[in-house]
Amino acid sequence: MLDTLEKRATGVRETDIQWVLTVPAIWDDAAKQFMRVAAEKAGIAREQLLIALEPEAASLYCKHLPVERLQAEGGAQGFVAFSKGSKYLVLDCGGGTVDITVHEVQVDLTLKELYKASGGAWGGTQVDEAYKQLLIKIVGAPTMIKFANVHTADHVDMYREFETKKRAITGDTKGKVTIKIPISLVEMFEEDTDEDIKDSIENTKFSGKINWVGDKCRITAEIFKGLFEAASNNIVAHVTDLLKKHEISNTNNIIMVGGFSESPILQHIIKQAFPHMRVIIPPEAGLAVLKGAVLFGHKPATISSRVAKFTYGVATTMNFNPNIHPPEKKKKYGNQIKCIDIFSKHVEKGQQLKVNEAQSENTYNPVEDEQTSMCFQVYTSTELNPAYVTDEGCEKIGEMEVAMPDTSGGRNRSVMCEMIFGGTELEVKATIKRNGQVTKAKFNFLGSPGKSSS
């Protein structure tokens, strides 16, 4: 892209560009960090890169869609964008994942996330996988593997043809759907098995439902629609569960975006499953994330708050109490008896997080007089109030180490740890004040073990 800009003499310099990289909202913090590192290795400067969540980007774009009827004085009619107080569920159906977020338009026209982003691997590729399994039931797995390796170009063409049919079939399609399949697959099957493909199908449950001659395969609409079942059932079940949540129970708009949302049969299934909801499919739904990412790049603060997907905290210690703490958590530091692995909570799962504001500030002290560094091990939990970082549902996501070379204060020295969750990426800061100076440490998702804190 930079080469093209230079060739066209646009005068745009590399430092003029704000890059926006979109990722699924259901990805964890480590995955987002991985993408940032990859982008930096590709040559994008850290300060010029924003990570945007795909359904959020789509939501920004959809906020401007003309969807509500205008009833102005003087009889003027038309449609306007979502008004203040409107709530809508964004169903972002991509190739690999389905991401779901629920937003409310605020008085200042920013967006507030009402429920944590959720979803799963129920995208369009799950339909492709169902098609692949259908073919395997006919020709067998060994033939399919050999076909992919020997006739790779034909293998790619086969799925490209299926992609076209996948977007063409509707909920009202009847009769049979004709799909072109490379003749090389049929020839390979018949050569390897000494069976005629037609006879082979007659001996399966697809007899009378699939007719395969040469490079044409005719499949009943019922069988073809069945390829969408696994993906669509998962999506419908998940959205149904979401709409039972108190926070979003009065949401009555579903906006479908993403490439898979352009499938007429998926649109038909969603409309049938939620007849009481208004299902909105914007023009070029597959480009909603791209267009929203541009809006996000210009005004990241349009998202005013998000919901914590997990409980976040750091591993710490406290004085051991035999009446409360289990014996296996007992550890001696000099003349002190401490309880280790305490989960010091900073943010609770489901908590509203203001963008770019420190959500919590906790102060920690070293456990030893001569300790020259303090390590903060950051954990997430699926529970609201975990007691120990070793409890079920807890997972370590990274750590950072703060240098404390001046040991003159002994255990009375302190380090303030704060977490900023409102952005699309988790930011953790540890600060030690010494001689009027502030020392900060950088959080690393792939850190190495260090000293404890209390």
Side-chain angles (χ1 to χ4, degrees):
M1 195 202 81
L2 293 172
D3 287 345
T4 304
L5 288 173
E6 191 176 342
K7 284 174 188 172
R8 294 182 181 175
T10 58
V12 176
R13 294 168 297 180
E14 194 170 337
T15 51
D16 296 333
I17 300 170
Q18 173 72 68
W19 297 87
V20 181
L21 181 62
T22 64
V23 300
I26 56 173
W27 277 14
D28 61 18
D29 297 300
K32 293 174 200 167
Q33 172 83 353
F34 177 88
M35 291 302 284
R36 177 171 282 282
V37 171
E40 288 176 16
K41 285 190 175 183
I44 297 175
R46 167 172 280 272
E47 61 276 9
Q48 289 172 242
L49 176 66
L50 283 176
I51 302 286
L53 306 182
E54 287 166 2
E56 279 192 358
S59 186
L60 286 181
Y61 168 67
C62 294
K63 183 169 75 81
H64 300 285
L65 290 174
V67 293
E68 296 182 342
R69 186 172 289 280
L70 175 68
Q71 292 180 329
E73 290 182 18
Q77 290 192 342
F79 285 87
V80 294
F82 281 112
S83 56
K84 299 163 190 175
S86 299
K87 298 178 182 179
Y88 56 90
L89 181 149
V90 178
L91 186 60
D92 178 13
C93 303
T97 59
V98 171
D99 263 342
I100 302 167
T101 53
V102 186
H103 284 129
E104 180 181 42
V105 182
Q106 301 298 285
V107 174
D108 60 358
L109 298 181
T110 60
L111 295 179
K112 174 185 178 183
E113 188 179 63
L114 295 180
Y115 192 76
K116 63 184 181 183
S118 59
W122 317 313
T125 51
Q126 200 169 14
V127 182
D128 299 344
E129 180 60 27
Y131 179 55
K132 176 184 173 183
Q133 293 303 321
L134 173 68
L135 294 177
I136 284 174
K137 285 173 184 172
I138 298 171
V139 303
T143 299
M144 280 296 288
I145 293 168
K146 185 178 176 183
F147 172 64
N149 291 329
V150 177
H151 300 286
T152 308
D154 285 351
H155 184 260
V156 172
D157 285 342
M158 181 177 77
Y159 282 105
R160 192 175 288 131
E161 165 75 8
F162 175 69
E163 183 68 27
T164 304
K165 294 294 179 182
K166 191 170 78 174
R167 290 168 182 262
I169 191 170
T170 70
D172 299 324
T173 300
K174 293 181 174 62
K176 288 193 174 180
V177 179
T178 302
I179 304 180
K180 189 176 179 182
I181 296 180
I183 193 70
S184 51
L185 176 58
V186 180
E187 291 172 348
M188 181 175 282
F189 168 76
E190 294 182 345
E191 186 181 314
D192 288 351
T193 62
D194 286 329
E195 276 188 72
D196 183 79
I197 191 78
K198 204 171 182 181
D199 296 337
S200 178
I201 293 172
E202 290 298 319
N203 297 323
T204 69
K205 64 178 182 179
F206 302 116
S207 177
K209 297 175 181 176
I210 295 178
N211 183 26
W212 194 339
V213 179
D215 66 346
K216 300 287 192 301
C217 184
R218 302 193 74 222
I219 305 173
T220 62
E222 183 187 5
I223 295 285
F224 198 97
K225 290 176 188 178
L227 301 176
F228 289 77
E229 241 175 53
S232 59
N233 286 351
N234 279 319
I235 295 169
V236 169
H238 191 75
V239 172
T240 301
D241 286 344
L242 274 180
L243 293 173
K244 293 175 184 174
K245 305 291 182 188
H246 171 71
E247 302 93 323
I248 59 176
S249 55
N250 57 349
T251 303
N252 56 9
N253 299 294
I254 294 178
I255 301 178
M256 295 181 67
V257 298
F260 190 27
S261 285
E262 292 183 353
S263 162
I265 191 165
L266 181 63
Q267 296 172 7
H268 176 79
I269 290 167
I270 296 298
K271 286 175 181 176
Q272 277 201 322
F274 306 102
H276 59 292
M277 305 280 285
R278 179 169 56 162
V279 179
I280 302 161
I281 303 122
E284 297 182 307
L287 294 178
V289 172
L290 171 66
K291 292 176 178 179
V294 175
L295 294 171
F296 181 80
H298 284 287
K299 291 184 77 173
T302 312
I303 305 290
S304 58
S305 71
R306 295 182 176 87
V307 176
K309 292 165 69 176
F310 303 102
T311 296
Y312 287 80
V314 301
T316 186
T317 65
M318 63 169 52
N319 292 330
F320 186 81
N321 184 338
N323 298 322
I324 301 173
H325 303 133
E328 64 269 17
K329 298 295 182 186
K330 185 177 179 181
K331 187 171 181 179
K332 191 171 184 181
Y333 291 93
N335 60 356
Q336 301 178 89
I337 305 297
K338 293 282 189 179
C339 177
I340 60 170
D341 295 335
I342 298 289
F343 194 110
S344 176
K345 185 168 73 172
H346 278 247
V347 163
E348 191 173 278
K349 178 181 175 182
Q351 183 178 329
Q352 279 285 345
L353 307 172
K354 293 276 188 180
V355 169
N356 296 326
E357 285 185 16
Q359 308 300 325
S360 60
E361 294 179 358
N362 291 349
T363 301
Y364 302 92
N365 303 95
V367 294
E368 300 172 37
D369 288 330
E370 302 300 317
Q371 192 168 318
T372 56
S373 69
M374 192 183 294
C375 182
F376 290 90
Q377 300 182 26
V378 182
Y379 283 80
T380 60
S381 174
T382 53
E383 303 300 315
L384 292 178
N385 293 295
Y388 303 98
V389 296
T390 52
D391 289 353
E392 189 176 348
C394 290
E395 183 182 350
K396 182 179 175 182
I397 61 169
E399 56 189 36
M400 61 183 171
E401 191 162 356
V402 186
M404 306 177 74
D406 182 0
T407 60
S408 57
R411 294 197 302 272
N412 291 325
R413 294 170 293 159
S414 63
V415 175
M416 184 183 72
C417 180
E418 59 181 358
M419 297 187 183
I420 302 172
F421 292 85
T424 54
E425 298 170 87
L426 166 63
E427 187 179 353
V428 186
K429 292 180 180 177
T431 307
I432 175 172
K433 292 185 178 180
R434 182 176 65 248
N435 301 327
Q437 294 182 323
V438 174
T439 303
K440 292 184 179 178
K442 187 176 182 301
F443 179 67
N444 186 359
F445 282 95
L446 302 170
S448 54
K451 292 284 184 73
S452 303
S453 60
S454 67

